Every structure is written in C-alpha cells, then in structure tokens.
Amino acid sequence: MSQSLCKIYLHVIFHIKTTSPHIKGEDLNRLHSYIGALINETGCQSIRVGGTENHVHALCLLLRTENIAHLVEEMKRNSSRWIKSLDNHYVHFAWQGGYAVFSVSQSVVDKTLAYIENQQEHHKKHSFEDEYLTFLRMYNIEYDERYVLSD
C-alpha cells in the first residue's frame, strides 16, 4: 500500500469537577462550538459536540497521526481557559481529570449523532452517573467504583 488511510470515529465524554460551577445554559452552544473548533485545530474532524451543564459529548474523526490523550488534553485545557474568560461565574471552573473515549462503528454514527443532539431530553430522565456507567458496561470496561466518578 502506498497510502496510509484511517477512519476512526471517537465518542469523547468528560465532566466538570464536583466543585466547579455548572455551565450556564446560555453558554452551552458557544462552548460546544469552541470545543468543536479545538478538535479541528488538532487536525481531527469535529462532527458534533453537545452535552449539558455538567458534561460534554463529542463525536469526531481521529486524524491518523493524532493520539487520543493529546486530543482530549487540547479540548479540556483550552476550553477551560476559554470559559473562564467569559465572566466571573467561571473563575473556579475545571474539568475532572479523567475522561472516556469510545470507538464508534460507521453503522451507528447516525445513532450517536442523535444521542448527542438529544442530551437535554435524555438527562431529564437519566443522571450523568447512570449514563456514564451504562457506557462503561456496554463497552465492557473494567473500572474501580471508588474512582470512576470522583474528581
């Protein structure tokens, strides 16, 4: 093969620290757009960013030369700096140290897009904690209950 190709969809999820102020509703779309731009700056391709006042979901295509840890670091570090510049409400804003990233099959990209778009409705019935643990179980990820949802 003379050409290196890849198409890897990632579903990235991360949450604010428990001591952090929540993201105001009027700032959600701006934050999601900003995170999408950060994804694109790494060379990856942002497809959809969404979430609620306490967590983010992002669907993106991984650039073949990028690594997941660097991608998420750029998303979290730079969005945290940016949101602090909006107003004093965010002076103590911080994301939790951890994150989750799941591979997404081409066959369920549309379903994942709908899931991210429907976050506000979804969380009227399900807590973030329940959602996150469901993902971990669905992907058969072993975790330590003492640390999985802590800061």
Side-chain angles (χ1 to χ4, degrees):
M1 232 183 275
S2 61
Q3 193 176 27
S4 300
L5 304 168
C6 84
K7 190 168 189 180
I8 301 172
Y9 290 96
L10 300 178
H11 182 176
V12 181
I13 304 171
F14 52 91
H15 193 280
I16 63 172
K17 282 191 170 187
T18 56
T19 57
S20 180
H22 283 172
I23 303 159
K24 295 179 188 177
E26 63 265 24
D27 296 328
L28 279 172
N29 287 336
R30 288 173 58 199
L31 175 64
H32 297 157
S33 294
Y34 189 77
I35 290 172
L38 292 171
I39 292 168
N40 292 338
E41 284 179 16
T42 68
C44 296
Q45 182 183 344
S46 174
I47 299 170
R48 181 73 28 99
V49 179
T52 67
E53 72 281 347
N54 64 9
H55 72 284
V56 168
H57 289 262
L59 179 65
C60 62
L61 280 168
L62 184 66
L63 180 69
R64 68 176 182 80
T65 57
E66 180 62 276
N67 71 66
I68 293 169
H70 181 256
L71 169 64
V72 176
E73 175 187 358
E74 290 298 302
M75 293 166 66
K76 291 171 63 179
R77 181 171 45 95
N78 290 315
S79 65
S80 179
R81 285 182 187 159
W82 176 82
I83 201 166
K84 287 177 183 177
S85 74
L86 293 183
D87 72 42
N88 287 335
H89 171 77
Y90 298 112
V91 70
H92 298 293
F93 182 87
W95 299 112
Q96 288 182 334
Y99 59 88
V101 179
F102 305 101
S103 61
V104 176
S105 170
Q106 179 74 52
S107 64
V108 294
V109 166
D110 289 341
K111 182 178 177 182
T112 306
L113 284 169
Y115 182 79
I116 292 172
E117 289 173 4
N118 196 37
Q119 281 292 290
Q120 295 295 328
E121 279 302 308
H122 174 76
H123 286 290
K124 288 179 180 177
K125 299 176 186 169
H126 306 280
S127 70
F128 170 77
E129 292 79 7
D130 290 341
E131 172 186 59
Y132 191 65
L133 293 174
T134 297
F135 271 105
L136 296 179
R137 287 189 290 270
M138 186 170 62
Y139 280 85
N140 294 317
I141 295 177
E142 292 184 27
Y143 58 91
D144 187 328
E145 290 194 27
R146 296 174 295 171
Y147 304 111
V148 73
L149 295 170
S150 66
D151 285 339

